[in-house]
Amino acid sequence: MGGREATMVLLDENGIRCDGRKVDETRRVMIKAGGLKNADGSAYIEFGDNKIVAGVFGPRDVHPKHMSDTDTGILRVRYHMEPFSVGERKNPAPSRREIEISKVIKEALEPAVMLEMFPRTVVDVFIEVLQADGGTRCAALSAASVALADAGIPMRDMVAACAAGKVADTVILDVNNEEDQAGQADMPMGYMPTLEKITLLQLDGILTPEEYEKCVEIGIKGCMQVYELQKKALSEKYFDGENGKGGRGQKR
Ligand code: UDP
């Protein structure tokens, strides 16, 4: 992204974006907690045209054993894109990009997960991108957080994520694939809404200090919207759904 000349109108004279959104509008987001009966916890998210599933196992014994830590539990995250998830078939082998995204998602989740309660164990998070359309790391991070909560892993807070960015010299919320490719900046953010702490912040592109401040502000607003949907997904499963009637229901 960045650097490339825009070949399409990213922002029209009425301030409407290429997919019909206003500058401060996210795409449609749908989150479902649970769904995979063989994982300890799971979640599915649709973030615009992104479709992502996350499955969690643990806390469980660490293999290989030498990776275990006697003082704390460890978190492992694998982000993977299906070959059919993007326009041009993606090689199923892990790419550098997938290794990087796995690492940033892990680091964004670590401050939220109370790993110190489970020394010598591991919590594994597996993320499968079924369909990608820009902003998969944010969508994946948001789904992983719900999957961890669904697995009953003690957490200090949820991590909600959304990107801000810049197209046509204007700060926008929730960058889609076209805006990512042809726009000027993409700034994915992960945020713990109760603790008011940012756990992921990357920037691809160039922003002025004022634009950066604006991106942080609008990005947090996007994260707060995602947070409401994360809570709704968990409450639908555990309180309103088939397991519901106000009590804590069975898993899945
Ligand atoms: N993408 C693609 N092929 C790839 C990797 C990415 O078409 O091999 C697309 C995909 O839609 C992705 C977007 O490029 O969402 C932006 O990728 P980026 O690396 O910026 O990460 P993301 O925005 O998904 O977190």
Side-chain angles (χ1 to χ4, degrees):
M1 64 131 287
R4 252 188 273 171
E5 278 305 307
T7 50
M8 68 184 84
V9 178
L10 290 176
L11 198 64
D12 73 13
E13 61 280 11
N14 301 315
I16 299 300
R17 292 154 68 178
C18 57
D19 58 6
R21 282 183 289 155
K22 300 192 198 110
V23 288
D24 60 352
E25 200 179 332
T26 68
R27 289 170 282 185
R28 183 192 71 93
V29 183
M30 189 281 283
I31 307 175
K32 187 179 181 305
L36 301 181
K37 80 179 172 84
N38 296 325
D40 292 332
S42 56
Y44 171 71
I45 190 165
E46 289 183 5
F47 210 118
D49 283 336
N50 292 300
K51 296 185 180 184
I52 299 172
V53 65
V56 167
F57 291 101
R60 60 179 177 174
D61 288 347
V62 186
H63 295 289
K65 271 227 154 27
H66 68 84
M67 282 183 71
S68 73
D69 188 329
T70 48
D71 296 328
T72 183
I74 58 170
L75 188 66
R76 284 192 299 217
V77 174
R78 192 195 72 176
Y79 161 104
H80 179 249
M81 279 183 130
E82 293 296 338
F84 51 76
S85 64
V86 286
E88 209 162 289
R89 178 187 177 274
K90 195 216 142 263
N91 185 328
S95 62
R96 277 179 60 144
R97 176 181 167 276
E98 286 166 300
I99 294 166
E100 178 224 316
I101 295 181
S102 300
K103 182 174 185 290
V104 298
I105 292 177
K106 168 182 139 75
E107 289 172 0
L109 288 169
E110 267 168 349
V113 185
M114 298 167 82
L115 292 163
E116 68 281 2
M117 290 177 70
F118 307 100
R120 298 173 209 268
T121 69
V122 60
V123 174
D124 278 306
V125 180
F126 295 98
I127 294 162
E128 289 295 332
V129 178
L130 308 177
Q131 187 169 285
D133 188 40
T136 57
R137 78 194 65 202
C138 288
L141 173 55
S142 303
S145 202
V146 174
L148 284 162
D150 183 49
I153 311 279
M155 291 164 81
R156 295 180 180 83
D157 203 348
M158 293 292 280
V159 183
C162 190
K166 180 166 83 161
V167 298
D169 295 321
T170 308
V171 167
I172 54 159
L173 181 60
D174 181 23
V175 181
N176 70 25
N177 193 32
E178 273 130 33
E179 293 168 333
D180 185 21
Q181 301 299 320
Q184 295 159 301
D186 177 26
M187 196 175 97
M189 281 178 64
Y191 184 65
M192 293 196 288
T194 314
L195 298 174
E196 298 183 2
K197 285 206 162 83
I198 292 171
T199 67
L200 164 73
L201 198 153
Q202 295 185 284
L203 173 59
D204 191 359
I206 296 171
L207 297 171
T208 64
E210 294 74 32
E211 286 166 346
Y212 169 77
E213 296 272 333
K214 211 166 166 206
C215 275
V216 171
E217 189 190 318
I218 200 175
I220 287 176
K221 281 193 187 143
C223 293
M224 292 307 290
Q225 289 176 29
V226 172
Y227 178 50
E228 291 307 317
L229 296 169
Q230 290 175 309
K231 286 192 292 184
K232 182 166 164 267
L234 288 162
S235 127
E236 271 170 8
K237 177 171 172 189
Y238 286 100
F239 297 107
D240 314 335
E242 62 206 48
N243 301 320
K245 293 229 172 5
R248 186 164 256 278
Q250 293 166 322
K251 280 186 140 194
R252 292 170 289 277

